[in-house]
Amino acid sequence: AAQTPILSVNNIEVIYDHVILVLKGVSLVVPQGGIVALLGANGAGKTTTLKAISNLLRSERGEVTKGSIELEGKRIEAQTANELVRRGCIQVMEGRHCFGHLTIEENLLTGAFTRRDGKAAIKRDMEMVYDYFPRLRERRTSQAGYTSGGEQQMTAIGRALMSRPKMILLDEPSMGLAPQLQEEIFEIVKKLNQQEGVSFLLAEQNTNIALRYATYGYILESGRIVMDGVASDLRENEDVKEFYLGVG
Ligand code: ATP
């Protein structure tokens, strides 16, 4: 029998402010241990999809009005964002949300807020984060607001790791970073996937890099999935090349 996917989104509709229909029936699956890319232009609905999953829409007056979302086969639409973090599903927001006035290490510690397994375990995981991001170890006492964009993105991912997630929803990890740093971030995503078994759903406008690291991709246009497939197939697809990879 096929394994239950870690995440399954079934035909969801999202409406903002009671009238603005933004997701018009989105379905997608992230298999256990998968890296799945959610692709599409600015405004297609990628962030909305991630926030619908992690239940972060309410503060934006958005609402899932149809469909269902399952984490490891269990419905989660009614779970709060914090409950989801406890159950192993966490979102890393677009724009590297860090606490600018806190040090990098303090930022990482805030990521452990849902845990009840004590200081020693938290300390161990912090060392694990520093092993993945040696740059963060070097800069642990720096105020996050004064570190580089790449370091802030690393801090945001490191902070999420402190909750011991099974699944990370990663919004635009490459945004605003130089190509070499984008590559560095995606290499770490791959390592976390292979070594820690973390599954990823990543929203990206950078189709090229996302399809090199993802196993599977979905393309979102105006709130609908218009194409999906194995990443290597999508990379060879003529429409994807023309419209998303910028090659004639
Ligand atoms: P981006 O690259 O900007 O993150 P995206 O693909 O993630 O783009 P969303 O941010 O999900 O797209 O936005 C999808 C659509 O929903 C856009 O048309 C946007 O204007 C609209 N939208 C987003 N947030 C709200 C909101 N709080 N209220 C009303 N409309 C919104």
Side-chain angles (χ1 to χ4, degrees):
Q3 214 180 11
T4 308
I6 184 136
L7 179 75
S8 129
V9 173
N10 315 298
N11 205 21
I12 59 167
E13 188 177 278
V14 168
I15 296 181
Y16 284 111
D17 284 320
H18 301 289
V19 288
I20 310 167
L21 177 62
V22 168
L23 297 190
K24 304 159 185 168
V26 168
S27 298
L28 61 87
V29 167
V30 179
Q32 292 278 355
I35 301 180
V36 171
L38 183 59
L39 307 165
N42 189 4
K46 304 180 298 295
T47 299
T48 300
T49 304
L50 297 194
K51 287 188 170 174
I53 297 164
S54 52
N55 207 342
L56 290 170
L57 282 177
R58 194 153 314 158
S59 60
E60 315 212 11
R61 288 180 300 163
E63 200 183 354
V64 178
T65 48
K66 268 190 201 156
S68 64
I69 305 169
E70 290 172 20
L71 186 68
E72 299 182 300
K74 296 192 189 92
R75 298 280 292 260
I76 55 168
E77 304 95 278
Q79 307 253 311
T80 65
N82 284 357
E83 282 164 352
L84 286 171
V85 173
R86 258 177 235 119
R87 289 180 54 174
C89 178
I90 190 165
Q91 178 160 353
V92 176
M93 305 246 236
E94 185 177 349
R96 318 148 197 157
H97 278 248
C98 293
F99 299 107
H101 57 290
L102 299 182
T103 65
I104 284 182
E105 183 145 309
E106 286 164 345
N107 267 277
L108 295 181
L109 280 173
T110 64
F113 73 102
T114 55
R115 292 176 55 166
R116 303 198 176 103
D117 54 352
K119 285 200 172 126
I122 289 170
K123 179 87 183 118
R124 234 182 357 259
D125 286 348
M126 192 138 71
E127 288 306 316
M128 183 262 294
V129 170
Y130 287 144
D131 289 344
Y132 279 100
F133 299 101
R135 241 176 228 255
L136 296 187
R137 180 180 276 121
E138 284 164 28
R139 308 218 55 192
R140 66 212 290 172
T141 60
S142 303
Q143 226 181 308
Y146 293 105
T147 64
S148 71
E151 286 157 354
Q152 290 184 30
Q153 181 65 72
M154 292 174 192
T155 303
I157 297 172
R159 176 179 185 275
L161 287 172
M162 292 302 292
S163 69
R164 291 204 144 272
K166 299 175 195 167
M167 157 112 241
I168 296 181
L169 307 166
L170 191 50
D171 200 356
E172 302 272 4
S174 79
M175 195 175 62
L177 301 183
Q180 197 200 322
L181 262 172
Q182 298 179 359
E183 220 62 54
E184 215 175 292
I185 297 283
F186 273 86
E187 281 296 331
I188 288 164
V189 165
K190 185 165 117 187
K191 249 181 156 178
L192 288 167
N193 175 256
Q194 291 174 346
Q195 298 176 12
E196 309 295 325
V198 181
S199 304
F200 285 88
L201 176 60
L202 48 98
E204 258 302 342
Q205 280 188 59
N206 186 337
T207 307
N208 190 337
I209 194 166
L211 287 181
R212 279 192 287 112
Y213 286 91
T215 45
Y216 201 89
Y218 291 87
I219 298 179
L220 197 55
E221 271 179 25
S222 311
R224 289 181 218 276
I225 303 288
V226 292
M227 199 187 302
D228 67 286
V230 174
S232 53
D233 291 344
L234 288 180
R235 278 208 309 269
E236 297 305 317
N237 181 285
E238 292 305 322
D239 289 335
V240 175
K241 280 187 188 168
E242 183 175 349
F243 296 111
Y244 292 99
L245 291 171
V247 190

